[in-house]
Amino acid sequence: MLTAQTPAPAPAKAPPAPAAAKSPSAVPGIAPLPGLPNLWVSGVPPVPPALSQRVQQYLESRSAQLLDVSADGQQVLISTRFADVNQLHLVEMPLGARTQLTFTKEPINRARFLPGNPQIIFYLQDTGGGEFFQVLRLDRRTGRSELLTDGKSRHEELVMSKDGRWLAYAGTGRNGKDTDVYVAPTSDPKQAKRVTEAEGSWAPLEFSNDGSKLLVRQYRAADDADLSVVDVKTNARTQLTPKEGKGSVESAVFTPDGQGVYVATDRYSDFAEVYRLPLTGTPPAAPPSLTKSVRWNVQDLELSPDGRKLAVAVNEEGFGKLYLLDTRTQALSPVETPRGVIAQVRFPSKRSDRVAFSLTSARVPLDVFTVDLGTKKTTRWTRSEVGGLDPETFVEPELVRYPSTDGVKVPAFLYLPKNAKGKVPVVVMFHGGPEGQSQPLFSAQTQLMVTELGMAVLLPNVRGSEGYGKAYRAMDDGVKREASLADIGATLDFVASRPELDAARVGIYGGSYGGYMTLVTAAFFPERIKAAVDVVGISSLPSFLQNTQAYRRDLRRAEYGDERDPAVRKVQERISPLGSVDRIRAALFVQQGANDPRVPQSEAEQVVQAVRKKGSDVWYLLATDEGHGFQKKTNRDMAQTTALMFFEKHLLGPAAEQGSGPAGGR
């Protein structure tokens, strides 16, 4: 009880109101999502609980990417996710436990064992999706990682010498623009030295058996790269590809005798084939192809430790095929593997009877497999979960082709819902790149739309796509991109030609360059689509080229044309969606990562604001801890769920069902 001598306590002060978070965006009205402070939205309604429940199992799907294999082939190093992002895991027997090795908040998707000591692992990691990757070394005995690079430059590639003495990687430390090759002793990896110091983008590919030489690639564009060999001690560099002409360099390894290289290139053919080039002397004008019987792109090479077998991974119309080239007889023989898309081919450094690889298909998430080359038996090492769903219920795509202008026939993969009654809506999904390729790999988002929502999904590979020869890939270069937009009209015509598909209910979805194609479709074919989801897409080619990171600007000018040339810029502006936003009639949803070094945030915000200025509503989702896409599970789940909600509203809702048929396109 209070007495007269006891003064009453002063009224308690209300706690200060939390300071409002500073907006990471210039879009008015944007605010963080409750409980998800790194996700900011404007115009995006809450997700209905019923939809969240329907999609949850699909979003729990995971994958396992092969990163390396131990010398004896008894351990595989993989990247997979059990929490929010991919981390390093070890698997020590087929379908054995995935033992987690790293526990960080940022994803890790590239790593290598130290040859001779698998207790040491080198890996690359960035922060917030900005792609300024750093090289780190993990000591598995202590669980501790050590930063080996400067913490601010961008680094890529990890190449180990076979004896474990040397590590090579690429980095922009010299001037922030050019990418040089660095070599460091693994005994003291902070003592790295530059072995190339030249303008452009250079990267290491492989050490020679004795570690004295290093293959490096200079990359200018998808159709313009050169291969050189560098003396690690003196830095002397010799170009192995001819100085005249140009072509790709997909992969390269030293020959067993160390006197030459096997290189996969399209320099001498429409497709990337395997050739043997000498280390000294003048490169042959037209060397014989070692894979001429396979008229598709070779994308990866790996030599067996005994030097007798060259593993050749081929992309045959989107599907992966594995071949073995006998280095003595030059005979090429296929290796039977499950049907799917193959990547990351690896021989154990002390075993030539087994090859490991990653594989995915429409019903199989990316997983790790090995093939015993003696018994021909394939063994699955990881079985990634698909949220408890039955993979047999997933839909396999149909490979289709349809005509466009200039004699082009566009290849595409069509997913149709099972037991559909009547015409179904369709979502056209454009790949990025532009030199990318849609392939029949596992996609939880695609299966969600097809299996759960009853929509068809069409994945076109319009001209400019990889995988169909260099002539096809070059058909959209520079100002030729304007003519390539006819493939969008051809795609919509194909939709109208199929009796199962409802051409009055078409949605468009794409990321990066696919986001550009999405916006182009909305702007230049406005009467033919209902909804468009643009993820980290380009809205203006000139502003994109001016604002992308310096280290990649010249690489992109080689593809899109130089915006500093008035004639080129005129075409770029004409085919940029930003200049035609007044024509957009479809509902629009834009998703962006704030730290995107490739397609900056400004590309998303200028189109959002321009469309809103003309009176149309736009949904906008911004992730402040992501870059060129969404890697963190929480963010990715929200991005995919809201995209599904958007398509469900505009393609399946009552208003969509009442829509009229499409008018003629551009």
Side-chain angles (χ1 to χ4, degrees), residues 335-526:
V335 178
E336 289 300 319
T337 65
R339 184 167 170 82
V341 180
I342 291 175
Q344 291 96 28
V345 179
R346 295 272 191 271
F347 275 103
S349 63
K350 292 185 178 179
R351 294 189 64 169
S352 299
D353 62 338
R354 175 185 294 180
V355 64
F357 55 91
S358 297
L359 180 140
T360 177
S361 71
R363 291 178 175 170
V364 177
L366 187 68
D367 268 319
V368 178
F369 297 77
T370 59
V371 172
D372 186 303
L373 301 179
T375 65
K376 314 298 184 185
K377 180 183 177 182
T378 298
T379 300
R380 188 169 183 170
W381 276 67
T382 62
R383 190 181 300 278
S384 294
E385 296 83 355
V386 287
L389 298 165
D390 180 3
E392 292 303 311
T393 65
F394 297 153
V395 173
E396 294 273 4
E398 172 190 356
L399 177 60
V400 299
R401 286 184 182 269
Y402 47 85
S404 183
T405 58
D406 307 316
V408 168
K409 283 198 171 180
V410 177
F413 291 98
L414 175 62
Y415 294 77
L416 289 170
K418 299 176 181 178
N419 306 316
K421 296 180 180 179
K423 290 179 177 289
V424 297
V426 56
V427 175
V428 178
M429 302 181 73
F430 288 110
H431 65 68
E435 319 94 327
Q437 182 186 18
S438 290
Q439 296 179 270
L441 44 76
F442 177 75
S443 165
Q445 188 174 29
T446 296
Q447 296 297 339
L448 255 170
M449 285 193 271
V450 179
T451 305
E452 194 66 31
L453 299 184
M455 301 177 181
V457 174
L458 180 65
L459 280 66
N461 284 306
V462 298
R463 72 187 82 181
S465 299
E466 187 62 88
Y468 305 95
K470 67 182 181 185
Y472 192 80
R473 185 184 59 212
M475 290 184 76
D476 70 342
D477 288 354
V479 296
K480 292 185 289 184
R481 193 164 311 279
E482 187 167 25
S484 76
L485 301 186
D487 292 357
I488 298 174
T491 300
L492 299 174
D493 290 343
F494 170 77
V495 169
S497 75
R498 292 284 296 224
E500 316 97 316
L501 306 180
D502 188 349
R505 293 185 290 165
V506 177
I508 308 293
Y509 178 98
S512 190
Y513 181 74
Y516 164 78
M517 293 289 281
T518 296
L519 294 173
V520 164
T521 307
F524 298 141
F525 299 84

Side-chain angles (χ1 to χ4, degrees), residues 168-487:
Y169 55 86
T172 60
R174 179 165 55 89
N175 59 16
K177 176 180 178 292
D178 299 309
T179 305
D180 301 311
V181 175
Y182 292 78
V183 170
T186 55
S187 59
D188 190 6
K190 290 186 178 181
Q191 300 303 313
K193 73 164 186 171
R194 282 192 293 273
V195 297
T196 68
E197 191 168 307
E199 184 178 7
S201 182
W202 300 75
L205 296 182
E206 189 189 55
F207 282 99
S208 59
N209 282 338
D210 62 2
S212 66
K213 300 180 182 68
L214 178 67
L215 290 178
V216 300
R217 175 176 60 184
Q218 183 186 15
Y219 184 92
R220 303 180 193 88
D223 65 345
D224 188 8
D226 277 305
L227 182 67
S228 299
V229 62
V230 173
D231 185 299
V232 173
K233 185 175 182 180
T234 66
N235 294 3
R237 184 173 75 245
T238 303
Q239 185 168 317
L240 303 179
T241 46
K243 298 185 184 301
E244 303 77 21
K246 65 179 184 178
S248 67
V249 175
E250 303 295 335
S251 182
V253 296
F254 283 98
T255 56
D257 61 9
Q259 299 304 303
V261 297
Y262 294 114
V263 57
T265 177
D266 61 15
R267 178 180 288 269
Y268 310 101
S269 170
D270 192 40
F271 288 94
E273 300 179 31
V274 179
Y275 303 88
R276 188 187 191 282
L277 300 181
L279 284 190
T280 58
T282 303
S289 169
L290 303 179
T291 55
K292 196 170 187 62
S293 60
V294 181
R295 299 298 296 168
W296 294 99
N297 275 348
V298 174
Q299 58 187 26
D300 197 12
L301 302 175
E302 176 85 350
L303 187 67
S304 63
D306 63 11
R308 295 182 178 182
K309 295 179 281 290
L310 182 69
V312 180
V314 178
N315 172 359
E316 296 190 5
E317 200 150 28
F319 292 91
K321 291 292 292 292
L322 187 62
Y323 293 84
L324 287 181
L325 179 74
D326 188 310
T327 58
R328 295 164 296 177
T329 67
Q330 313 302 314
L332 189 69
S333 57
V335 178
E336 289 300 319
T337 65
R339 184 167 170 82
V341 180
I342 291 175
Q344 291 96 28
V345 179
R346 295 272 191 271
F347 275 103
S349 63
K350 292 185 178 179
R351 294 189 64 169
S352 299
D353 62 338
R354 175 185 294 180
V355 64
F357 55 91
S358 297
L359 180 140
T360 177
S361 71
R363 291 178 175 170
V364 177
L366 187 68
D367 268 319
V368 178
F369 297 77
T370 59
V371 172
D372 186 303
L373 301 179
T375 65
K376 314 298 184 185
K377 180 183 177 182
T378 298
T379 300
R380 188 169 183 170
W381 276 67
T382 62
R383 190 181 300 278
S384 294
E385 296 83 355
V386 287
L389 298 165
D390 180 3
E392 292 303 311
T393 65
F394 297 153
V395 173
E396 294 273 4
E398 172 190 356
L399 177 60
V400 299
R401 286 184 182 269
Y402 47 85
S404 183
T405 58
D406 307 316
V408 168
K409 283 198 171 180
V410 177
F413 291 98
L414 175 62
Y415 294 77
L416 289 170
K418 299 176 181 178
N419 306 316
K421 296 180 180 179
K423 290 179 177 289
V424 297
V426 56
V427 175
V428 178
M429 302 181 73
F430 288 110
H431 65 68
E435 319 94 327
Q437 182 186 18
S438 290
Q439 296 179 270
L441 44 76
F442 177 75
S443 165
Q445 188 174 29
T446 296
Q447 296 297 339
L448 255 170
M449 285 193 271
V450 179
T451 305
E452 194 66 31
L453 299 184
M455 301 177 181
V457 174
L458 180 65
L459 280 66
N461 284 306
V462 298
R463 72 187 82 181
S465 299
E466 187 62 88
Y468 305 95
K470 67 182 181 185
Y472 192 80
R473 185 184 59 212
M475 290 184 76
D476 70 342
D477 288 354
V479 296
K480 292 185 289 184
R481 193 164 311 279
E482 187 167 25
S484 76
L485 301 186
D487 292 357

Side-chain angles (χ1 to χ4, degrees), residues 562-571:
D562 193 332
E563 82 287 357
R564 296 168 297 184
D565 181 328
V568 172
R569 188 183 186 99
K570 185 177 180 180
V571 176

